[in-house]
Amino acid sequence: MELTDKLEILADAAKYDASCASSGAPRRSSIGKDGIGATTGMGICHSYTPDGRCVSLLKILLTNFCIYDCQYCVNRRTSNVPRARFAVDEVVKLTIDFYLRNYIDGLFLSSGIIRSADYTMEQLVEIARQLREVHQFRGYIHLKTIPDADPALIALAGKYADRLSVNIELPTQDSVQKLAPEKSVHTIKLAMGAIRQRLDEKAQEPKSPRFAPAGQSTQMIVGADASDDQTILSTAETLYNSYKLKRVYYSAFSPIPDSPKSVPLAPPPMLREHRLYQADFLLRSYGFVASELLPASGGNLALDIDPKLAWALAHREHFPLDLNLADASMIARVPGIGLRNARRLVELRCLRRIRYVDLARLRCSMKKIAPFIVTADYAPVNGAATSELLRRSLTEQPTQLSLWTQLQAA
């Protein structure tokens, strides 16, 4: 098979792996040194496809052959799809050639399982080793690790990769047993734990050998099983706390050709994936916990409003909030005010009292903010309005598109 044909098959097969965030890799450059490539302190500079997926990395599978038969996976053993496999040297050559043409900033490499977990992991590690040691490649490398592989191989992968990821894929043990019986959540978590232990050792001994400086991540598929958003977010929260993950990625399930009856025939709304990312950001950066965003009894995030606004409407006892008295963490929970502006407002009130116009100057979302704040010169006139009424006023109403807009304007 020609290399271009392999690339077409294996790049398409990798599109279900989410990797749409800044790398978090340390600053690294080849200026004045041997080798090629660079990372920046801000991480990889991404571009996006129309559906929001990242394409700035060379994102490919080593192979889409797989000995596993996970029901939700397009590359499962019984799936009727074209198969291909790269040689190690081919992936190395593609990465270097694409970088020199300024197409990519780094490599995101995953694989189906061939022969065994150890054999597959050896191939992935060898690609990273050749890039680093033979070609002196200083760009970003993200490797998907195989949980069942020998821990020594995963440790070696961390020597060459900026980030490692171990995909948990489904949020509950029951779902994994039903849809991917050849996999084990226990094994996946053991691999995550081993990576965390090495990251902790590196943090305690900065002069110890390099190990995955951009940390580890994982991915969950949304909509392949019956798990609701509360279950997904609770699992994500546990993973963040237990394994110090940098990111949990969420990937909306895509129906696959000749899919088995055990998985849905229709995808979940793409907006559901977006709301989970918003809620995840609140968990990581705003101090929210999953139980604040959704009740323990279960349920999904609202699709018509963002999770932060939904929380504010459900907890009106905190609002309207006096921005001249509240602490920064509470100000950041006001819909329409982000972390940076919360800090700026606290700094500003060291000089004088906050006024309504200050929020406009900070380019806050004034329509969203107005019902939830008090300033030196402003109090909301609709402060006593019901949450349902506020929700209707703050929800973007659908509008009928016109086929004759230009004629009407004329």
Side-chain angles (χ1 to χ4, degrees):
M1 184 181 290
E2 294 293 330
L3 186 61
T4 53
D5 296 327
K6 292 182 183 181
L7 182 60
E8 181 178 358
I9 292 171
L10 295 174
D12 183 70
K15 68 184 178 184
Y16 300 103
D17 282 304
S19 61
C20 304
S22 295
S23 70
R27 186 179 296 275
R28 194 166 57 236
S29 173
S30 59
I31 297 176
K33 303 176 183 177
D34 293 333
I36 61 171
T39 61
T40 68
M42 297 302 291
I44 297 300
C45 179
H46 297 103
S47 57
Y48 295 88
T49 60
D51 65 352
R53 299 188 184 275
C54 171
V55 294
S56 62
L57 307 178
L58 174 57
K59 188 161 70 171
I60 54 175
L61 300 184
L62 175 65
T63 179
N64 64 340
F65 288 98
C66 193
I67 63 176
Y68 292 162
D69 198 31
C70 305
Q71 299 299 289
Y72 49 80
C73 182
V74 68
N75 302 313
R76 69 186 188 278
R77 183 175 64 243
T78 56
S79 182
N80 183 24
V81 295
R83 306 286 183 170
R85 176 183 173 183
F86 282 124
V88 168
D89 291 344
E90 290 175 327
V91 177
V92 173
K93 182 178 186 303
L94 280 171
T95 304
I96 298 300
D97 288 351
F98 276 41
Y99 182 84
L100 292 176
R101 288 173 172 80
N102 202 30
Y103 291 162
I104 61 169
D105 297 294
L107 173 67
F108 178 98
L109 182 62
S110 184
S111 181
I113 312 299
I114 45 176
R115 296 194 189 177
S116 68
D118 283 350
Y119 176 80
T120 306
M121 197 70 223
E122 286 174 356
Q123 300 284 295
L124 298 177
V125 171
E126 178 60 15
I127 289 168
R129 187 198 69 79
Q130 288 193 26
L131 285 170
R132 295 295 194 212
E133 295 184 350
V134 177
H135 297 275
Q136 298 294 303
F137 181 66
R138 298 178 180 273
Y140 177 71
I141 297 178
H142 183 155
L143 289 184
K144 285 293 183 76
T145 58
I146 314 300
D148 293 318
D150 189 315
L153 288 171
I154 296 179
L156 194 57
K159 176 182 178 181
Y160 302 115
D162 290 289
R163 175 169 288 180
L164 299 177
S165 55
V166 184
N167 282 1
I168 195 166
E169 295 181 339
L170 297 170
T172 67
Q173 176 70 48
D174 289 344
S175 293
V176 172
Q177 290 178 344
K178 177 182 176 182
L179 299 180
E182 294 156 304
K183 294 185 177 181
S184 166
V185 171
H186 177 68
T187 302
I188 293 169
K189 290 184 176 180
L190 283 177
M192 288 182 178
I195 293 173
R196 177 190 169 166
Q197 183 177 0
R198 290 187 174 275
L199 290 170
D200 288 343
E201 291 172 355
K202 176 62 179 175
Q204 294 170 4
E205 296 290 339
K207 293 184 179 180
S208 60
R210 178 185 188 275
F211 186 83
Q216 67 169 320
S217 61
T218 192
Q219 177 176 325
M220 278 192 279
I221 301 170
V222 179
D225 64 347
S227 298
D228 57 20
D229 292 348
Q230 194 278 335
T231 302
I232 292 171
L233 286 177
S234 294
T235 300
E237 185 176 57
T238 300
L239 294 174
Y240 279 127
N241 294 336
S242 300
Y243 305 105
K244 292 185 178 179
L245 299 187
K246 291 292 185 179
R247 289 295 304 273
V248 175
Y249 294 103
Y250 305 93
S251 180
F253 172 71
S254 297
I256 51 182
D258 304 318
S259 60
K261 295 180 180 179
S262 56
V263 295
L265 296 178
M270 283 299 295
L271 191 55
R272 183 184 175 193
E273 177 187 300
H274 178 61
R275 295 300 185 213
L276 282 167
Y277 273 115
Q278 290 178 317
D280 184 272
F281 187 49
L282 296 180
L283 296 180
R284 289 184 291 113
S285 302
Y286 283 76
F288 282 86
V289 295
S291 59
E292 290 182 282
L293 300 175
L294 284 167
S297 58
N300 289 337
L301 296 164
L303 298 182
D304 59 331
I305 55 175
D306 66 80
K308 191 176 173 184
L309 176 56
W311 175 85
L313 291 174
H315 295 82
R316 295 291 301 285
E317 67 274 12
H318 298 298
F319 304 103
L321 185 73
D322 191 333
L323 299 184
N324 285 294
L325 299 176
D327 59 31
S329 61
M330 194 61 200
I331 293 174
R333 291 192 171 209
V334 175
I337 298 181
L339 292 170
R340 182 181 298 177
N341 279 342
R343 290 192 294 267
R344 287 172 174 171
L345 289 170
V346 171
E347 292 169 359
L348 176 61
R349 72 187 188 194
C350 293
L351 304 175
R352 60 174 174 79
R353 290 175 63 77
I354 297 170
R355 297 171 298 179
Y356 191 73
V357 68
D358 295 324
L359 300 168
R361 288 170 178 164
L362 290 174
R363 297 183 179 180
C364 296
S365 176
M366 302 307 292
K367 179 181 178 182
K368 188 179 289 187
I369 285 176
F372 299 103
I373 60 162
V374 171
T375 66
D377 59 348
Y378 170 82
V381 295
N382 58 350
T386 65
S387 293
E388 184 58 35
L389 183 61
L390 282 179
R391 180 172 183 155
R392 287 201 298 268
S393 67
L394 294 172
T395 301
E396 185 175 344
Q397 299 299 320
T399 56
Q400 177 65 48
L401 297 178
S402 173
L403 296 174
W404 317 108
T405 305
Q406 291 181 340
L407 292 177
Q408 290 173 350

